[in-house]
Amino acid sequence: MKTIDELLADGVDGKRVFVRADLNVPLDGGTITDDGRIRAVLPTVKALADAGAKVVVASHLGRPKGAPDPAFSLAPAASRLGELLGSAVAFAADTVGESAQATVAGLTGGQVAVLENLRFNPGETSKDDAERAAFAEQLAALADVYVGDGFGAVHRKHASVFDLPKRLPHYAGYLIATEVGVLKKLTEDVKRPYVVALGGAKVSDKLAVIDQLLGKADRLLIGGGMAYTFLKAKGYEVGISLLQEDQVPVVQEYMERAEKNGVELVLPVDVLVSTEFPDLKTKAPATFTTVDADAIPADQEGLDIGPRTRELYASKLADAATVFWNGPMGVFEHPDYADGTRAVAQALVEADGFTVVGGGDSAAAVRTLGFDENAFGHISTGGGASLEYLEGKTLPGLAALED
């Protein structure tokens, strides 16, 4: 995989460089609530602009239905990128149409433009190879060189991620190079003890990675909504907690395999339960009780790990040489159910080993809860991409850059 340093060494002055970024930031109306993904691509964009390139940044945002939708416009991200760069960023009102063509044509060396949301064009996400290829050809006409730096999208076989780099000289940006380097530390020659903390809502989202980790990790800590399928697999009552009943047999088999392989599988010993899901909009105080994990009332749901589990998980992370964490331990968006996620984050901060926060909600939680990002070894920008890499899958966006 060629890197941006090789591109810069060859010279980019006056060249149109297409940067596939991941500007898929959370929005509250038109306000960005977490600009982490924009800041992550800054080193690549700035290096190219400083070297005199005409930088064309493109990304998706959300899941529009292949047509323009103002709710998913990248205009706020383009504005924020300009603020962070300290210079004006041009914005094209379409992806490959008149506005995009005119905006790119108007760039001079060192200037940056952002195209409108790639997913406003149905060719971006099409499962039809010809339709994707046609869109990729239109994008290729806007550039001389391709730099892939949208790690959060490399697991998608989309036109700008998979088809476009085949049509231009292509290089990996600084973010992708960093992310791949980190993931190799989690899969090749891993320093031990290797501890993985998994949370989030659905156990089905994590089954494939658990399957792989049962042969690689020393310890698995399970929290979040997915924990209740594990507790059910142990025969416990889980009340109205989030449960994937159809996955119980699979989880039981994984638990047996973990014991056979000598992998320590750690489940909550106590949980915070309530009859009501918290109001995440008003953040009104919640009514909850703490119960043992095997004593959840039939009419209540688990919403966070309890205080004894927080201490247990912190102790299981303390001696780790390598840690990967993906998924919150509870409904961290509400202050009454954030302590479990906060405890895991704090344990990572205090650990002496190499700590990786695996993107998605975990990365959002770290920032929401006020942790210093520099206190962690690495915070990934791609939760789904990170998990699929750890599953051993071939990621289309990385494969295209390696060709």
Side-chain angles (χ1 to χ4, degrees):
M1 187 185 295
K2 291 182 180 178
T3 68
I4 186 176
D5 284 331
E6 295 172 79
L7 171 61
L8 292 169
D10 290 339
V12 293
D13 189 27
K15 289 185 178 180
R16 301 171 301 165
V17 181
F18 188 103
V19 177
R20 199 339 178 155
D22 179 9
L23 307 181
N24 186 28
V25 292
L27 294 171
D28 183 2
T31 303
I32 296 169
T33 57
D34 181 355
D35 67 357
R37 283 177 168 160
I38 301 175
R39 286 185 286 110
V41 79
L42 271 180
T44 291
V45 173
K46 191 171 187 312
L48 290 166
D50 287 349
K54 301 172 183 178
V55 187
V56 181
V57 180
S59 175
H60 70 286
L61 191 153
R63 297 179 183 273
K65 306 298 182 183
D69 183 339
F72 297 105
S73 175
L74 274 172
S79 177
R80 181 59 180 150
L81 178 62
E83 291 173 1
L84 292 168
L85 287 170
S87 59
V89 167
F91 182 66
D94 57 25
T95 56
V96 291
E98 291 182 7
S99 180
Q101 293 170 36
T103 299
V104 174
L107 291 176
T108 58
Q111 291 187 323
V112 179
V114 174
L115 304 181
E116 185 53 286
N117 192 338
L118 291 165
R119 290 186 182 175
F120 286 0
N121 190 306
E124 170 67 1
T125 59
S126 176
K127 289 183 168 53
D128 182 88
D129 291 349
E131 186 177 13
R132 274 200 333 274
F135 183 47
E137 290 286 354
Q138 291 178 291
L139 291 171
L142 299 173
D144 305 305
V145 181
Y146 177 94
V147 172
D149 216 30
F151 181 73
V154 294
H155 58 314
R156 306 294 186 194
K157 193 177 182 180
H158 290 170
S160 66
V161 176
F162 178 73
D163 302 89
L164 179 56
K166 296 181 177 181
R167 289 161 170 77
L168 294 168
H170 46 268
Y171 302 81
Y174 290 126
L175 175 61
I176 279 188
T178 298
E179 294 272 14
V180 171
V182 166
L183 288 168
K184 284 183 176 178
K185 288 186 179 181
L186 299 178
T187 54
E188 302 171 11
D189 194 26
V190 181
K191 293 185 178 178
R192 299 184 180 279
Y194 178 21
V195 184
V196 177
L198 295 176
K202 294 182 178 179
V203 70
S204 57
D205 293 342
K206 306 282 168 62
L207 284 177
V209 77
I210 292 172
D211 185 44
Q212 286 291 314
L213 291 169
L214 287 175
K216 294 176 181 173
D218 298 299
R219 222 171 274 152
L220 281 175
L221 315 181
I222 305 294
M226 62 183 285
Y228 302 100
T229 301
F230 278 84
L231 294 175
K232 184 72 172 180
K234 285 181 66 97
Y236 296 169
E237 168 67 57
V238 297
I240 57 172
S241 304
L242 192 59
L243 173 66
Q244 290 186 277
E245 189 88 48
D246 61 322
Q247 302 298 334
V248 168
V250 181
V251 167
Q252 287 174 328
E253 190 271 322
Y254 282 5
M255 291 166 71
E256 290 169 6
R257 186 140 56 93
E259 185 174 2
K260 181 179 177 181
N261 291 355
V263 177
E264 188 179 1
L265 183 62
V266 189
L267 300 178
V269 293
D270 61 344
V271 294
L272 272 54
V273 298
S274 178
T275 56
E276 297 180 335
F277 195 83
D279 188 327
L280 301 183
K281 196 155 193 146
T282 66
K283 305 288 201 305
T287 301
F288 63 87
T289 54
T290 302
V291 300
D292 289 344
D294 61 354
I296 298 174
D299 64 342
Q300 300 195 37
E301 67 176 316
L303 296 164
D304 194 15
I305 57 174
R308 286 192 294 123
T309 305
R310 290 173 224 149
E311 290 183 12
L312 173 65
Y313 285 12
S315 71
K316 297 295 182 182
L317 289 161
D319 67 342
T322 305
V323 181
F324 176 73
W325 169 37
N326 181 281
M329 295 292 109
V331 188
F332 76 93
E333 299 91 341
H334 193 284
D336 289 334
Y337 301 117
D339 286 343
T341 302
R342 182 181 288 108
V344 169
Q346 185 62 43
L348 264 67
V349 169
E350 294 174 3
D352 291 330
F354 180 61
T355 57
V356 179
V357 180
D361 287 340
S362 307
V366 163
R367 290 188 272 267
T368 299
L369 298 175
F371 285 89
D372 179 0
E373 295 180 44
N374 294 320
F376 302 89
H378 179 70
I379 299 179
S380 179
T381 56
S386 295
L387 288 175
E388 290 198 15
Y389 189 100
L390 293 181
E391 288 169 23
K393 288 184 177 179
T394 297
L395 306 189
L398 296 184
L401 290 176
E402 287 166 354
D403 285 345

